[in-house]
Amino acid sequence: MTSLDFSVDNVEVEPYAVTPNLTVRLRMSETTGATVRAVALRAQVRIEPHRRPYSDAEGEALHDLFGPRERWSSTLRTFLWMECSTVVQGFTGATVAALPMACTYDFSVTASKYMHGLRDGIIPIVLLLSGTVFTDGPRGFSVQQIPWDRSAAYELPVEVWKLLMATHYPASGWVRLDHETIADLVRFKAAHGLTDLDSAVRQLLTASQVQR
């Protein structure tokens, strides 16, 4: 039986990817001395918001997700960021695998809202790991499952997330809108001689603030 332990060495921005991608440098250690031929690895990446403090500005930005601070003892719960996978080449002893994480800046995604609300510090994440390990056996390949209790925690710097989004969406972000809402915005933009939808939204927000 093989026994694998996991830890995260680093999380890096992939600068030449077409879409926003982070790469986890995941250290894998085999502690029995067996030779691992390959690993089909799966990871569920979860955010643990209770593992860090928040400034007043961050608390205000996260109100939509967690409510007022007096409720955070019950609302600041771990939530899913993404699921990802990779195939790890054979090794003996230990290796560092590259686990790709495809990210989005879509504000309908809880994780994007959360990370957008952070000013600095860290994003506390944990990788819950599973998959299949292929090793040498008495009759050829031996196939084993990674136990469900394997995990690796990491404190991802907020600056890494900001760099990733600045690389792909400089000074911008994504908001999902209904088709009719987009059509109404386009008509508003044309009627007021505006150059883009951002200007249309800005003018509507300004008008709303004046009316208050």
Side-chain angles (χ1 to χ4, degrees), residues 5-211:
D5 291 329
F6 299 87
S7 62
V8 177
D9 278 1
N10 197 12
V11 179
E12 304 170 346
V13 174
E14 284 295 331
Y16 304 113
V18 176
T19 57
N21 273 270
L22 295 172
T23 297
V24 180
R25 303 298 174 186
L26 185 66
R27 183 169 296 277
M28 305 172 57
S29 301
E30 204 294 313
T31 58
T32 69
T35 297
V36 176
R37 293 303 179 186
V39 180
L41 186 67
R42 298 186 298 273
Q44 186 182 95
V45 186
R46 302 180 70 85
I47 295 176
E48 300 183 316
H50 57 278
R51 283 173 44 201
R52 59 154 288 166
Y54 300 90
S55 67
D56 290 341
E58 290 171 331
E60 182 178 350
L62 297 174
H63 185 279
D64 184 47
L65 288 178
F66 305 123
R69 278 189 185 267
E70 55 265 26
R71 294 183 53 210
W72 281 17
S73 60
S74 60
T75 61
L76 223 62
R77 301 299 186 188
T78 300
F79 60 90
L80 178 67
W81 181 5
M82 69 176 72
E83 295 182 345
C84 47
S85 61
T86 191
V87 175
V88 183
Q89 295 183 354
F91 66 94
T92 301
T95 190
V96 176
L99 178 64
M101 294 171 55
C103 301
T104 178
Y105 207 15
D106 186 344
F107 276 69
S108 65
V109 178
T110 300
S112 296
K113 287 183 182 179
Y114 173 76
M115 289 180 280
H116 181 75
L118 302 180
R119 300 297 185 263
D120 52 27
I122 57 97
I123 302 165
I125 65 173
V126 61
L127 282 71
L128 306 181
L129 300 151
S130 61
T132 306
V133 184
F134 300 90
T135 61
D136 289 332
R139 298 182 180 178
F141 273 128
S142 174
V143 179
Q144 303 170 27
Q145 298 300 310
I146 297 174
W148 286 97
D149 63 351
R150 302 293 92 171
S151 65
Y154 185 69
E155 296 182 346
L156 173 65
V158 172
E159 286 303 319
V160 173
W161 169 259
K162 289 183 176 181
L163 174 61
L164 176 67
M165 292 305 144
T167 300
H168 290 271
Y169 309 118
S172 63
W174 286 102
V175 178
R176 185 179 299 176
L177 299 175
D178 183 83
H179 288 295
E180 292 184 2
T181 303
I182 295 174
D184 288 342
L185 273 175
V186 170
R187 286 192 288 269
F188 181 87
K189 176 179 76 71
H192 291 77
L194 302 173
T195 57
D196 51 47
L197 293 180
D198 189 270
S199 299
V201 173
R202 177 61 60 187
Q203 184 162 319
L204 287 168
L205 288 173
T206 301
S208 175
Q209 293 169 354
V210 169
Q211 292 174 3

